[in-house]
């Protein structure tokens, strides 16, 4: 029939276009077996390079004063709610801070905890003028704490050569600043070893 001849002609032409590398005899051989596997040529997609987002340099951050607290915001009362949030965060972190909680467990949790909002006191220092300063930690950097005192004064206390005490629900923890010179993000992943006291 005419339709079957047209169909064969169409199939032959289609296979020649689809399989340009094969000869006519090979195509006829494939047709006689009634099993046709068409070749597929995939176009290689060009990989688009991801643009890296540029962050501000330390110098740019200083020039923009991103981390500076405005004088009108330097009031102790403003940050008391932050301290209450911090206390609840520590209670949750230490499973309620029950009276039978092991001091070593609490100490280990506090060493890795975020201290923004904690009330700390400088108990020992090579610089006598720092001893007795108490306030809420507003910012923690690698080498210093920025705290706000009850007198609404913003103090920058270096960690080096200072010992800080931190009290919550009757638990008192001591932080040796010389061993604590890390950023908060670095400290959370660090393993601290229990060591004896350090003489200043």
């Amino acid at each position: 029939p005419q339709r079957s001849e047209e169909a064969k002609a169409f199939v032959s032409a289609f296979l020649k276009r689809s399989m340009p590398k094969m000869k006519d005899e090979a195509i006829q051989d494939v047709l006689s077996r009634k099993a046709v596997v068409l070749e597929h040529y995939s176009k290689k997609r060009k990989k688009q390079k991801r643009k890296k987002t540029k962050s501000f340099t330390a110098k740019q951050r200083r020039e923009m004063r991103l981390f500076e607290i405005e004088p009108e915001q330097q009031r102790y009362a403003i940050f008391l709610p932050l301290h209450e949030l911090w206390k609840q965060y520590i209670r949750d972190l230490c499973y309620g801070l029950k009276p039978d909680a092991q001091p070593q467990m609490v100490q280990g949790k506090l060493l890795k905890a975020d201290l923004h909002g904690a009330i700390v006191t400088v108990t020992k220092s090579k610089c006598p003028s720092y001893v007795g300063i108490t306030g809420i930690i507003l910012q923690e950097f690698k080498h210093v704490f920025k705290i706000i005192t009850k007198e609404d004064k913003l103090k920058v206390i270096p960690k080096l050569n200072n010992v800080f005490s931190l009290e919550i629900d009757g638990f008192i923890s001591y932080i040796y600043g010389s061993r604590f010179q890390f950023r908060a993000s670095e400290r959370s992943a660090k393993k601290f070893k229990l060591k004896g006291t350090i003489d200043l």
Side-chain angles (χ1 to χ4, degrees):
Q2 189 175 359
R3 285 185 180 179
S4 62
E5 292 297 326
E6 288 177 356
K8 284 182 182 180
F10 172 78
V11 171
S12 296
F14 176 75
L15 290 175
K16 283 180 182 179
R17 288 197 306 272
S18 301
M19 297 185 291
K21 294 181 180 179
M22 292 185 70
K23 295 180 179 179
D24 291 345
E25 295 82 6
I27 292 173
Q28 292 302 324
D29 183 52
V30 170
L31 283 172
S32 64
R33 296 180 188 177
K34 297 181 181 179
V36 179
V37 179
L38 300 178
E39 294 178 10
H40 176 68
Y41 298 97
S42 59
K43 292 181 179 179
K44 291 184 179 180
R45 293 182 179 179
K46 292 182 179 179
K47 291 184 179 179
Q48 293 181 348
K49 292 182 179 179
R50 292 183 180 178
K51 292 182 179 179
K52 292 183 179 179
T53 54
K54 291 184 179 179
S55 57
F56 293 120
T57 63
K59 185 180 178 182
Q60 287 173 326
R61 287 197 292 266
R62 284 194 298 270
E63 288 174 352
M64 295 173 71
R65 305 176 71 182
L66 290 178
F67 297 115
E68 289 192 19
I69 300 167
E70 298 297 329
E72 61 270 15
Q73 299 295 324
Q74 295 176 14
R75 287 189 290 147
Y76 187 83
I78 291 178
F79 297 99
L80 280 174
L82 175 64
H83 175 60
E84 294 301 319
L85 286 173
W86 180 82
K87 287 199 294 186
Q88 189 57 49
Y89 154 67
I90 293 298
R91 290 183 188 120
D92 294 341
L93 189 68
C94 298
Y95 313 110
L97 277 176
K98 297 175 182 177
D100 58 345
Q102 294 181 353
Q104 289 182 353
M105 182 274 291
V106 177
Q107 177 76 7
K109 295 284 186 183
L110 286 173
L111 286 174
K112 295 188 175 187
D114 190 331
L115 297 180
H116 293 91
I119 293 179
V120 294
T121 302
V122 182
T123 54
K124 288 184 181 181
S125 176
K126 278 193 173 181
C127 180
S129 62
Y130 287 138
V131 177
I133 294 176
T134 302
I136 299 172
I137 294 178
L138 301 187
Q139 292 174 318
E140 180 188 354
F141 299 97
K142 186 172 183 178
H143 299 291
V144 298
F145 286 124
K146 276 189 180 181
I147 66 174
I148 186 80
T149 66
K150 289 182 179 180
E151 294 78 25
D152 297 336
K153 290 183 179 179
L154 188 67
K155 300 280 187 179
V156 180
I157 311 294
K159 294 179 180 179
L160 187 65
N161 299 325
N162 285 323
V163 179
F164 303 87
S165 66
L166 186 152
E167 188 271 334
I168 177 170
D169 294 350
F171 288 93
I172 299 175
S173 179
Y174 291 94
I175 295 169
Y176 290 88
S178 301
R179 303 281 184 181
F180 211 67
Q181 295 188 84
F182 305 96
R183 293 182 179 89
S185 56
E186 296 172 353
R187 195 177 69 245
S188 62
K190 182 172 175 59
K191 291 183 179 179
F192 288 92
K193 294 180 181 178
L194 292 175
K195 295 183 179 180
T197 58
I198 302 168
D199 291 330
L200 292 178

